[in-house]
Short mmCIF file of all heavy atoms in Angstrom, two decimals:
data_model
loop_
_atom_site.label_atom_id
_atom_site.label_comp_id
_atom_site.label_asym_id
_atom_site.label_seq_id
_atom_site.Cartn_x
_atom_site.Cartn_y
_atom_site.Cartn_z
N SER B 318 19.30 -7.09 -38.64
CA SER B 318 19.28 -5.72 -38.15
C SER B 318 18.57 -4.75 -39.09
O SER B 318 18.38 -3.58 -38.75
CB SER B 318 20.72 -5.22 -37.92
OG SER B 318 21.44 -5.21 -39.14
N ASP B 319 18.17 -5.23 -40.26
CA ASP B 319 17.39 -4.39 -41.18
C ASP B 319 15.90 -4.47 -40.88
O ASP B 319 15.10 -3.79 -41.54
CB ASP B 319 17.64 -4.82 -42.62
CG ASP B 319 19.06 -4.49 -43.08
OD1 ASP B 319 19.50 -3.35 -42.83
OD2 ASP B 319 19.70 -5.37 -43.68
N THR B 320 15.50 -5.28 -39.91
CA THR B 320 14.11 -5.32 -39.49
C THR B 320 13.72 -3.98 -38.91
O THR B 320 14.31 -3.51 -37.92
CB THR B 320 13.90 -6.43 -38.43
OG1 THR B 320 14.10 -7.70 -39.05
CG2 THR B 320 12.50 -6.37 -37.84
N ALA B 321 12.76 -3.33 -39.53
CA ALA B 321 12.40 -1.95 -39.17
C ALA B 321 11.17 -1.55 -39.97
O ALA B 321 10.66 -2.32 -40.79
CB ALA B 321 13.56 -1.00 -39.48
N VAL B 322 10.71 -0.34 -39.73
CA VAL B 322 9.65 0.26 -40.54
C VAL B 322 10.31 1.23 -41.52
O VAL B 322 11.18 2.02 -41.13
CB VAL B 322 8.62 0.99 -39.68
CG1 VAL B 322 7.56 1.66 -40.58
CG2 VAL B 322 7.94 0.02 -38.71
N TYR B 323 9.89 1.15 -42.79
CA TYR B 323 10.47 1.99 -43.84
C TYR B 323 9.39 2.92 -44.39
O TYR B 323 8.31 2.47 -44.76
CB TYR B 323 11.05 1.12 -44.95
CG TYR B 323 12.26 0.34 -44.48
CD1 TYR B 323 12.11 -0.83 -43.75
CD2 TYR B 323 13.54 0.81 -44.74
CE1 TYR B 323 13.22 -1.53 -43.28
CE2 TYR B 323 14.65 0.12 -44.28
CZ TYR B 323 14.48 -1.04 -43.55
OH TYR B 323 15.58 -1.72 -43.09
N TYR B 324 9.71 4.20 -44.42
CA TYR B 324 8.76 5.22 -44.87
C TYR B 324 9.19 5.80 -46.21
O TYR B 324 10.36 6.17 -46.38
CB TYR B 324 8.67 6.36 -43.86
CG TYR B 324 8.15 5.98 -42.50
CD1 TYR B 324 9.02 5.67 -41.47
CD2 TYR B 324 6.79 5.93 -42.25
CE1 TYR B 324 8.55 5.33 -40.21
CE2 TYR B 324 6.30 5.59 -40.99
CZ TYR B 324 7.20 5.29 -39.98
OH TYR B 324 6.72 4.95 -38.75
N CYS B 325 8.24 5.90 -47.12
CA CYS B 325 8.43 6.56 -48.40
C CYS B 325 7.72 7.91 -48.34
O CYS B 325 6.55 7.97 -47.99
CB CYS B 325 7.85 5.69 -49.51
SG CYS B 325 7.68 6.50 -51.11
N LEU B 326 8.42 8.97 -48.68
CA LEU B 326 7.87 10.32 -48.57
C LEU B 326 8.16 11.11 -49.83
O LEU B 326 9.24 10.96 -50.42
CB LEU B 326 8.50 11.04 -47.38
CG LEU B 326 8.31 10.33 -46.03
CD1 LEU B 326 9.42 10.65 -45.09
CD2 LEU B 326 6.96 10.72 -45.44
N VAL B 327 7.22 11.95 -50.24
CA VAL B 327 7.46 12.84 -51.37
C VAL B 327 7.13 14.27 -50.98
O VAL B 327 6.17 14.51 -50.25
CB VAL B 327 6.66 12.42 -52.62
CG1 VAL B 327 7.09 11.06 -53.11
CG2 VAL B 327 5.18 12.44 -52.35
N GLY B 328 7.91 15.20 -51.46
CA GLY B 328 7.67 16.60 -51.18
C GLY B 328 8.90 17.42 -51.53
O GLY B 328 9.97 16.87 -51.75
N ASP B 329 8.72 18.75 -51.57
CA ASP B 329 9.86 19.61 -51.84
C ASP B 329 10.34 20.32 -50.58
O ASP B 329 11.28 21.11 -50.62
CB ASP B 329 9.55 20.62 -52.94
CG ASP B 329 8.47 21.63 -52.53
OD1 ASP B 329 7.87 21.46 -51.45
OD2 ASP B 329 8.23 22.58 -53.29
N SER B 330 9.69 20.03 -49.47
CA SER B 330 10.14 20.59 -48.20
C SER B 330 9.68 19.65 -47.09
O SER B 330 8.63 19.03 -47.20
CB SER B 330 9.56 21.99 -47.98
OG SER B 330 8.15 21.96 -48.07
N ASN B 331 10.48 19.55 -46.03
CA ASN B 331 10.16 18.59 -44.97
C ASN B 331 8.83 18.91 -44.29
O ASN B 331 8.13 17.99 -43.85
CB ASN B 331 11.28 18.56 -43.93
CG ASN B 331 12.52 17.87 -44.45
OD1 ASN B 331 12.43 16.91 -45.21
ND2 ASN B 331 13.69 18.35 -44.06
N TYR B 332 8.47 20.17 -44.20
CA TYR B 332 7.24 20.49 -43.47
C TYR B 332 5.99 20.16 -44.30
O TYR B 332 4.88 20.28 -43.80
CB TYR B 332 7.23 21.95 -43.02
CG TYR B 332 7.60 22.97 -44.06
CD1 TYR B 332 6.67 23.45 -44.96
CD2 TYR B 332 8.89 23.47 -44.11
CE1 TYR B 332 7.02 24.40 -45.90
CE2 TYR B 332 9.25 24.43 -45.05
CZ TYR B 332 8.32 24.88 -45.94
OH TYR B 332 8.67 25.80 -46.87
N GLN B 333 6.16 19.75 -45.53
CA GLN B 333 5.03 19.30 -46.34
C GLN B 333 4.88 17.79 -46.36
O GLN B 333 3.90 17.27 -46.89
CB GLN B 333 5.17 19.79 -47.77
CG GLN B 333 5.04 21.29 -47.95
CD GLN B 333 5.12 21.68 -49.41
OE1 GLN B 333 5.70 20.96 -50.21
NE2 GLN B 333 4.55 22.81 -49.76
N LEU B 334 5.84 17.07 -45.81
CA LEU B 334 5.81 15.62 -45.91
C LEU B 334 4.66 15.03 -45.12
O LEU B 334 4.38 15.45 -44.01
CB LEU B 334 7.13 15.03 -45.41
CG LEU B 334 8.39 15.45 -46.16
CD1 LEU B 334 9.60 14.78 -45.54
CD2 LEU B 334 8.27 15.14 -47.64
N ILE B 335 4.01 14.04 -45.70
CA ILE B 335 2.95 13.31 -45.01
C ILE B 335 3.47 11.91 -44.74
O ILE B 335 3.78 11.17 -45.68
CB ILE B 335 1.67 13.26 -45.85
CG1 ILE B 335 1.12 14.67 -46.06
CG2 ILE B 335 0.62 12.37 -45.18
CD1 ILE B 335 -0.08 14.74 -46.96
N TRP B 336 3.56 11.57 -43.46
CA TRP B 336 4.11 10.28 -43.06
C TRP B 336 2.98 9.28 -42.91
O TRP B 336 2.13 9.42 -42.03
CB TRP B 336 4.86 10.41 -41.73
CG TRP B 336 6.07 11.26 -41.78
CD1 TRP B 336 6.11 12.62 -41.94
CD2 TRP B 336 7.43 10.84 -41.65
NE1 TRP B 336 7.42 13.06 -41.92
CE2 TRP B 336 8.24 11.99 -41.74
CE3 TRP B 336 8.04 9.59 -41.46
CZ2 TRP B 336 9.63 11.93 -41.66
CZ3 TRP B 336 9.43 9.52 -41.36
CH2 TRP B 336 10.21 10.69 -41.48
N GLY B 337 2.95 8.27 -43.77
CA GLY B 337 1.99 7.19 -43.61
C GLY B 337 2.49 6.22 -42.55
O GLY B 337 3.42 6.52 -41.80
N ALA B 338 1.87 5.05 -42.52
CA ALA B 338 2.24 4.04 -41.53
C ALA B 338 3.52 3.30 -41.92
O ALA B 338 4.09 2.58 -41.10
CB ALA B 338 1.11 3.05 -41.32
N GLY B 339 3.98 3.47 -43.16
CA GLY B 339 5.21 2.83 -43.59
C GLY B 339 5.05 1.36 -43.87
O GLY B 339 3.95 0.79 -43.79
N THR B 340 6.17 0.72 -44.23
CA THR B 340 6.22 -0.72 -44.48
C THR B 340 7.02 -1.38 -43.38
O THR B 340 8.19 -1.05 -43.18
CB THR B 340 6.88 -1.03 -45.84
OG1 THR B 340 6.09 -0.49 -46.88
CG2 THR B 340 7.04 -2.53 -46.03
N LYS B 341 6.39 -2.30 -42.68
CA LYS B 341 7.10 -3.04 -41.63
C LYS B 341 7.82 -4.21 -42.28
O LYS B 341 7.20 -5.16 -42.77
CB LYS B 341 6.12 -3.53 -40.57
CG LYS B 341 6.81 -4.19 -39.38
CD LYS B 341 5.81 -4.51 -38.28
CE LYS B 341 6.50 -5.09 -37.06
NZ LYS B 341 5.55 -5.38 -35.96
N LEU B 342 9.13 -4.15 -42.30
CA LEU B 342 9.96 -5.20 -42.91
C LEU B 342 10.49 -6.11 -41.81
O LEU B 342 11.13 -5.64 -40.87
CB LEU B 342 11.12 -4.57 -43.68
CG LEU B 342 12.12 -5.54 -44.29
CD1 LEU B 342 11.46 -6.41 -45.35
CD2 LEU B 342 13.32 -4.79 -44.86
N ILE B 343 10.23 -7.40 -41.96
CA ILE B 343 10.72 -8.38 -41.00
C ILE B 343 11.70 -9.29 -41.73
O ILE B 343 11.34 -9.91 -42.74
CB ILE B 343 9.58 -9.20 -40.39
CG1 ILE B 343 8.65 -8.26 -39.60
CG2 ILE B 343 10.14 -10.30 -39.48
CD1 ILE B 343 7.41 -8.94 -39.07
N ILE B 344 12.91 -9.37 -41.22
CA ILE B 344 13.93 -10.24 -41.79
C ILE B 344 14.07 -11.48 -40.90
O ILE B 344 14.28 -11.36 -39.70
CB ILE B 344 15.28 -9.52 -41.92
CG1 ILE B 344 15.11 -8.24 -42.73
CG2 ILE B 344 16.31 -10.45 -42.58
CD1 ILE B 344 14.57 -8.43 -44.11
N LYS B 345 13.97 -12.63 -41.53
CA LYS B 345 14.05 -13.89 -40.80
C LYS B 345 15.40 -14.55 -41.03
O LYS B 345 16.01 -14.37 -42.09
CB LYS B 345 12.93 -14.82 -41.26
CG LYS B 345 11.54 -14.22 -41.10
CD LYS B 345 10.48 -15.14 -41.70
CE LYS B 345 9.11 -14.52 -41.59
NZ LYS B 345 8.07 -15.39 -42.22
#
Side-chain angles (χ1 to χ4, degrees):
Chain B
S318 63
D319 291 313
T320 293
V322 177
Y323 292 81
Y324 297 95
C325 167
L326 302 152
V327 297
D329 66 353
S330 56
N331 287 325
Y332 48 84
Q333 292 184 335
L334 300 180
I335 297 176
W336 295 69
T340 296
K341 186 174 184 179
L342 176 64
I343 297 174
I344 305 301
K345 303 175 182 178

